[in-house]
Amino acid sequence: MIRVREFDVVKDLKAVEEMESRCEVGPTDAGAGSNKKKKKKRSMSLYVDLLGDPLCRVRHAPDHVMLVAEYGEKKEMVGVIRACIKMVTRGRTSSGFLPAYVKIAYILGLRVSPFHRRLGIGTKLVERVELWCEARGAEYAYMATDPANSASLNLFTRRLSYSRFRSPVLLAHPVHSHLLPLSPSVAVLRLPPSAAIALYSRLLPPSAVEFLPSDLPSLLSHPLTLSTFLAIPSSSSASSVITTNAFSLSDLPSSFAIMSLWDSTRVLRLRVAGAPPAARAALALLRAVDARAPWMRVPSIRDIFRPFGVYIMYGLHMAGPEGPRLMRSLCRLAHNAAVADENCAAVVAELGPGDPVRAAVPHWKRFSCEEDVWCMKRLRGGDDAIHGDDWLASPPTTDVIFVDPREF
């Protein structure tokens, strides 16, 4: 009754798009804030449109796949799943014999038709994609989900033997109609990809961060990376050296902040559905007042009940006593860049829960998620198994988690 096979873009694209358009990617509640886990009843849901490219979130990896599930004699399209294989850092290890990087699989984009659930389709898709990943040498597989998505959590943790592994926070700030002022005491440098690569390689060694991809240079040079920005005190004289490749960490001032900005509006759009009429009316009223009296600078936000995109801040790092202030300046810069893009409704960042940068990133609690659940499973033995240093069983050795914006 259920057949799982690889996606055929010519044969399957239309059916996949129609099926996925009926699947919510997670519940949302713009009024729940940090208490969103406690609310059992939700009136709103979040949907995603991949703009005609269902492989856009995994295509960057040389090894990637998308599987589809067909049901019944009519071969109705009822499910999809995606995965990619990548090399990432795992932070500091207790054994000096282990490599800096580990080969893992990221499983994402699992969708099952609302009319065909509880038939084991999701289980079959995950089991098949795990076999595909294991055959390509992945030692671990992990996935991410909303903590309120009990169906997804139960599937992976109870039926498929995944364990809760990490819980980064998703911080979101809506885009206003007005530019935010930037402090004249802060100098912001736009780094070319070569300088950004050199700086990140010094700031983020493999032992200091988890999930940093080995192809970071490709990410920083990607067309959707708008730029990498470095904020330093305007009184510093280090700018002429930092924008070149011939510098060391000693050339940096004692306080600085760095951030790269990714434009996801060109690869996907989000849409909030099921909002109460009162919420729609309130936001529409704010936009109307702001349009008629812009001098009041009403904090109106863009229409999130229509398809919208987001800008993603990644690679956030700061140092020194002025680091938080400099990071806030970079966040304001990202917001102002988004103001100029009518398709962007929010600026987001995903960080480790203990990352000190978290406190410096402006965000609205009503639009943020205090816990994005990552679950992991061991697929096969590796060097860490030989030396008794299982990443899955080891406590975190760093507070810094690198979240790849290509997989958002």
Side-chain angles (χ1 to χ4, degrees):
M1 296 291 290
I2 303 171
R3 178 185 177 224
V4 177
R5 59 173 176 80
E6 286 202 29
F7 169 74
D8 183 325
V9 64
V10 176
K11 177 181 177 181
D12 302 326
L13 180 58
K14 183 178 179 180
V16 166
E17 288 183 330
E18 290 178 352
M19 190 275 296
E20 288 199 298
S21 68
R22 301 191 296 268
C23 300
E24 61 184 63
V25 298
T28 183
D29 190 335
S34 60
N35 294 322
K36 62 185 293 186
K37 289 198 303 179
K38 299 179 182 179
K39 287 206 168 202
K40 294 183 178 180
K41 293 184 179 179
R42 298 171 181 270
S43 58
M44 291 186 281
S45 299
L46 189 64
Y47 293 82
V48 64
D49 180 0
L50 298 178
L51 304 181
D53 184 7
L55 290 167
C56 65
R57 298 172 65 196
V58 295
R59 192 184 301 280
H60 64 277
D63 277 341
H64 64 268
V65 72
M66 176 173 170
L67 303 180
V68 300
E70 296 174 324
Y71 181 77
E73 295 181 357
K74 295 183 179 180
K75 296 183 179 180
E76 183 178 0
M77 186 67 63
V78 294
V80 297
I81 196 169
R82 303 156 177 90
C84 61
I85 310 293
K86 55 185 181 178
M87 299 290 292
V88 302
T89 59
R90 54 161 291 182
R92 187 174 64 255
T93 63
S94 60
S95 171
F97 299 100
L98 299 182
Y101 290 86
V102 62
K103 195 172 191 178
I104 66 170
Y106 182 36
I107 297 175
L108 67 159
L110 172 61
R111 309 278 185 264
V112 176
S113 167
F115 309 111
H116 297 84
R117 291 176 181 171
R118 299 185 181 277
L119 298 175
I121 296 171
T123 301
K124 286 183 178 295
L125 284 167
V126 176
E127 289 175 342
R128 281 289 299 275
V129 86
E130 284 180 347
L131 291 174
W132 183 92
C133 296
E134 185 177 0
R136 283 153 183 81
E139 296 181 32
Y140 301 90
Y142 80 104
M143 51 76 68
T145 189
D146 187 291
N149 192 340
S150 58
S152 178
L153 283 173
N154 290 338
L155 171 65
F156 281 91
T157 60
R158 294 185 180 181
R159 183 168 299 180
L160 296 167
S161 302
Y162 283 70
S163 301
R164 289 197 180 210
F165 186 63
R166 298 290 183 263
S167 298
V169 295
L170 179 66
L171 306 178
H173 193 290
V175 175
H176 303 315
S177 301
H178 308 285
L179 297 177
L180 299 177
L182 301 178
S183 173
S185 64
V186 177
V188 177
L189 309 177
R190 183 188 291 264
L191 302 181
S194 57
I197 293 167
L199 184 53
Y200 274 121
S201 67
R202 292 162 172 79
L203 295 176
L204 299 177
S207 61
V209 58
E210 289 185 325
F211 293 94
L212 181 72
S214 61
D215 68 337
L216 181 62
S218 297
L219 172 58
L220 294 170
S221 305
H222 196 286
L224 294 185
T225 292
L226 300 180
S227 192
T228 296
F229 302 95
L230 178 71
I232 59 176
S234 56
S235 57
S236 173
S237 59
S239 59
S240 60
V241 178
I242 295 172
T243 53
T244 69
N245 296 336
F247 72 92
S248 64
L249 290 181
S250 61
D251 295 318
L252 289 171
S254 59
S255 294
F256 65 90
I258 187 172
M259 176 270 296
S260 297
L261 191 60
W262 176 269
D263 176 11
S264 74
T265 65
R266 287 184 270 171
V267 292
L268 64 84
R269 298 290 169 84
L270 304 171
R271 176 176 59 88
V272 177
R280 291 175 174 267
L283 295 180
L285 178 60
L286 287 175
R287 288 192 296 272
V289 172
D290 190 32
R292 288 172 172 77
W295 51 271
M296 294 180 63
R297 299 185 69 84
V298 175
S300 62
I301 65 175
R302 290 176 173 170
D303 191 352
I304 60 173
F305 305 117
R306 295 181 179 180
F308 65 92
V310 300
Y311 280 5
I312 303 170
M313 299 183 295
Y314 71 93
L316 284 73
H317 182 82
M318 66 184 188
E322 295 188 79
R325 181 177 69 90
L326 298 172
M327 181 58 69
R328 285 191 289 271
S329 292
L330 291 181
C331 293
R332 284 175 169 249
L333 180 72
H335 171 274
N336 292 348
V339 170
D341 188 341
E342 62 181 10
N343 296 315
C344 184
V347 178
V348 304
E350 195 162 10
L351 304 164
D355 193 327
V357 173
R358 174 184 179 181
V361 176
H363 61 281
W364 283 22
K365 288 186 178 181
R366 293 183 177 182
F367 290 87
S368 302
C369 177
E370 293 293 328
E371 183 184 24
D372 186 24
V373 181
W374 289 11
C375 299
M376 181 176 280
K377 175 182 179 179
R378 171 179 282 282
L379 296 181
R380 58 190 295 272
D383 290 338
D384 59 352
I386 296 174
H387 298 287
D389 197 349
D390 185 352
W391 189 17
L392 184 59
S394 303
T397 60
T398 175
D399 292 323
V400 181
I401 297 175
F402 189 96
V403 180
D404 195 323
R406 296 170 293 189
E407 300 161 358
F408 179 78

